Amino acid sequence: MINVIGLGYIGLPTALMFASHGVEVVGTDYSKEIVDKLKGGHTTFDEKGLDELYEKAVKSGIKFSTEYQKTDIYIIAVATPYDKFSKKIDAGYVCAALKNVMEVCPKGATVVIESTVSPGTIDRYVRPIIEENGFTIGTDINLVHAPERIIPGNMVYELEHNSRTIGADDVKIGEKIKAAYSSFCKGDIVITDIKTAEMTKVVENTFRAVNIAFANELAKICRQDNMDVYEIVKICNMHPRVNILNPGPGVGGHCISVDPWFLVGDYPSLTKVIWESMKVNDSMPEFVLERIYSIMKEKGMEDISRVGLYGLTYKENVDDYRESPTLQLLECQKKHLASPLKVYDPYITNNIVENQYHDFDMFLDDIDLIVIMVGHNQIKDNIDKIKNKIILDTRKVCDFDGVYTL
Ligand code: SAJ
């Protein structure tokens, strides 16, 4: 039986995937609210294919609990934020989960850390906890790091089809955990050592952050000299060895905007490119705000209350607003002491910011300038409704004339 600890964006789909492929699974979360919702027949967030996967897993007998189970495989998939001041990883949730595992786990169990951690975290924080509990690693308890790679918006497909990395002290243990993941994973599964596995995951997300920062910097250069960054990126990407990502209003979510900081925190004197990249990405919401002011000036608009931000989530077609560029922009706006801009997002039904609308048409009635912060399919399907507005499109979803871009 596998006890998956942490039923969030990674733990839940992973637990469901194992269960729907015939593995006995108990999903554990300290949040009674999450566990009750899952026991009551509902998933806890919107994700393509998740409801269907949940149904299959329930039919196959998955259980949900706030209690840690006595079993032979634990998968820990809890959040790993970073400390805003030191930039170093905050391994607090991983350590807390592991301490709870230690209280119930029998000798011979394998603990798999799925959470993204910076290189050396397992040596520094995880091993000591196991040893303090009187276990010898490799004899009593086996340790594995198996970072996930799934992208929100396509998690269910990617869980099955992506290749994976497994870091283990001992190849035999790596093979055992590889066999477990092979119950559903059709991709290649590479076995390596734990520190290499830690580093590869952080490097993958850092590569993406740096590439996005490059695109964002190009957008700023092109804005200054009136060049079309999208046309330039499109042509450059026709080169067989160039693949530039898309500029945007900033980088959000809990991965690309977080993980690169772990390297900056641990290697401050060596991470010049990464540090600058993160600063470029973090500067984008303010850049969008300046674009808004300059467009208002050009159009002779004086009333900022007639400006609305479309989209609150960190990217398209998801309901996750953690670290979202829109929230970052609203924070910047506070510094200007202006009343907060109007906001609408079809995926966010609860009230999370001031001046938030829940009806698209009412939102449109109250604004003259719409800033597309997120390219949800909903806006693409309703593009005719915004054609009479002044549009600042930060996601390149409009393909008609007269639209302002980054
Ligand atoms: N973004 C851009 N331009 C782009 C691509 C993305 O501005 O060209 C922005 C998005 O709008 C968003 C942010 O970057 O605000 C991050 O979005 P994302 O789609 O790049 O990535 P995540 O955070 O949803 O998922 C990433 C993925 N990592 C990589 O692609 C290397 C996923 O595979 C990981 O599993 C996930 O992080 C994770 O959990 O680590």
Side-chain angles (χ1 to χ4, degrees):
M1 188 252 280
I2 299 182
N3 188 194
V4 177
I5 315 294
L7 297 173
Y9 287 93
I10 301 302
L12 179 62
T14 305
L16 299 178
M17 195 53 105
F18 272 115
S20 62
H21 285 78
V23 179
E24 192 188 348
V25 176
V26 177
T28 295
D29 200 291
Y30 66 15
S31 161
K32 191 171 172 320
E33 197 187 333
I34 290 180
V35 169
D36 285 347
K37 206 165 173 200
L38 291 166
K39 278 182 169 173
H42 305 282
T43 51
T44 42
F45 59 94
D46 269 342
E47 172 66 34
K48 192 173 66 190
L50 193 67
D51 287 345
E52 293 78 357
L53 190 65
Y54 171 84
E55 298 298 328
K56 274 196 215 157
V58 169
K59 275 199 192 109
S60 306
I62 190 169
K63 301 267 183 309
F64 302 104
S65 172
T66 52
E67 303 294 319
Y68 286 68
Q69 310 294 309
K70 199 177 185 71
T71 188
D72 59 337
I73 298 181
Y74 296 88
I75 295 182
I76 297 182
V78 295
T80 44
Y82 72 100
D83 179 89
K84 292 268 157 44
F85 180 70
S86 69
K87 314 292 189 205
K88 287 177 187 288
I89 189 171
D90 171 358
Y93 294 107
V94 173
C95 293
L98 183 65
K99 283 178 187 161
N100 289 328
V101 167
M102 291 294 102
E103 283 176 17
V104 293
C105 76
K107 279 194 177 174
T110 302
V111 178
V112 180
I113 310 287
E114 266 226 21
S115 309
T116 302
V117 293
S118 53
T121 299
I122 290 185
D123 284 347
R124 274 196 295 276
Y125 300 103
V126 171
R127 291 185 198 276
I129 292 174
I130 297 175
E131 282 156 6
E132 278 158 22
N133 279 273
F135 293 114
T136 305
I137 296 169
T139 315
D140 302 330
I141 297 286
N142 299 304
L143 198 50
V144 168
H145 178 42
E148 52 73 31
R149 283 177 167 160
I150 52 178
I151 194 149
N154 200 26
M155 286 178 159
V156 176
Y157 176 87
E158 291 207 351
L159 258 178
E160 256 190 286
H161 294 92
N162 284 0
S163 58
R164 299 190 71 105
T165 313
I166 289 188
D169 293 332
D170 176 338
V171 178
K172 272 198 213 119
I173 298 302
E175 291 290 353
K176 177 182 154 194
I177 297 303
K178 176 176 172 173
Y181 280 103
S182 299
S183 63
F184 65 82
C185 175
K186 300 190 178 100
D188 290 335
I189 302 182
V190 175
I191 298 176
T192 183
D193 63 88
I194 287 181
K195 202 164 188 176
T196 302
E198 292 176 314
M199 184 63 170
T200 50
K201 171 62 202 250
V202 175
V203 167
E204 288 159 13
N205 281 357
T206 302
F207 169 79
R208 196 157 167 89
V210 171
N211 192 329
I212 296 169
F214 178 62
N216 284 336
E217 189 159 285
L218 294 180
K220 288 182 170 180
I221 295 171
C222 292
R223 171 58 42 217
Q224 176 147 322
D225 249 348
N226 226 356
M227 295 178 271
D228 181 346
V229 67
Y230 299 99
E231 179 74 359
I232 290 160
V233 169
K234 187 179 91 190
I235 296 170
C236 290
N237 282 350
M238 291 166 80
H239 183 292
R241 284 169 296 282
V242 175
N243 186 13
I244 307 167
L245 290 170
N246 300 309
V251 170
H254 227 58
C255 310
I256 308 285
S257 68
V258 173
D259 304 347
W261 284 123
F262 299 162
L263 292 177
V264 174
D266 286 346
Y267 306 94
S269 62
L270 300 174
T271 43
K272 309 262 188 283
V273 171
I274 302 170
W275 187 309
E276 285 302 325
S277 300
M278 297 304 275
K279 283 203 290 192
V280 169
N281 289 340
D282 284 351
S283 75
M284 292 312 286
E286 181 125 42
F287 179 74
V288 174
L289 193 58
E290 281 159 16
R291 283 293 285 144
I292 294 172
Y293 290 138
S294 100
I295 293 164
M296 286 178 68
K297 198 165 162 208
E298 188 183 321
K299 291 285 183 186
M301 256 181 93
E302 274 168 17
D303 189 0
I304 190 121
S305 74
R306 298 289 302 170
V307 178
L309 304 177
Y310 175 89
L312 254 171
T313 62
Y314 82 94
K315 69 173 189 179
E316 69 284 358
N317 307 324
V318 298
D319 64 357
D320 184 350
Y321 53 81
R322 292 177 297 175
E323 323 280 334
S324 92
T326 302
L327 292 178
Q328 294 176 42
L329 190 152
L330 291 171
E331 270 307 305
C332 282
Q333 209 211 342
K334 278 190 192 157
K335 288 186 227 149
H336 298 241
L337 300 174
S339 72
L341 292 167
K342 298 192 158 81
V343 188
Y344 168 76
D345 192 308
Y347 281 86
I348 310 292
T349 47
N350 51 336
N351 256 330
I352 59 162
V353 290
E354 277 181 69
N355 288 339
Q356 187 183 339
Y357 285 66
H358 297 283
D359 183 290
F360 187 45
D361 294 320
M362 275 166 68
F363 169 71
L364 292 182
D365 280 348
D366 285 356
I367 60 168
D368 299 320
L369 167 56
I370 181 168
V371 185
I372 302 176
M373 295 292 288
V374 185
H376 291 309
N377 286 346
Q378 190 252 8
I379 190 94
K380 294 182 182 159
D381 295 342
N382 284 285
I383 217 80
D384 283 344
K385 284 193 176 174
I386 64 166
K387 279 191 170 159
N388 61 344
K389 307 281 176 207
I390 305 165
I391 304 172
L392 169 55
D393 180 5
T394 71
R395 296 289 189 173
K396 199 66 182 155
V397 297
C398 303
D399 62 356
F400 43 88
D401 290 342
V403 173
Y404 292 92
T405 58
L406 286 173

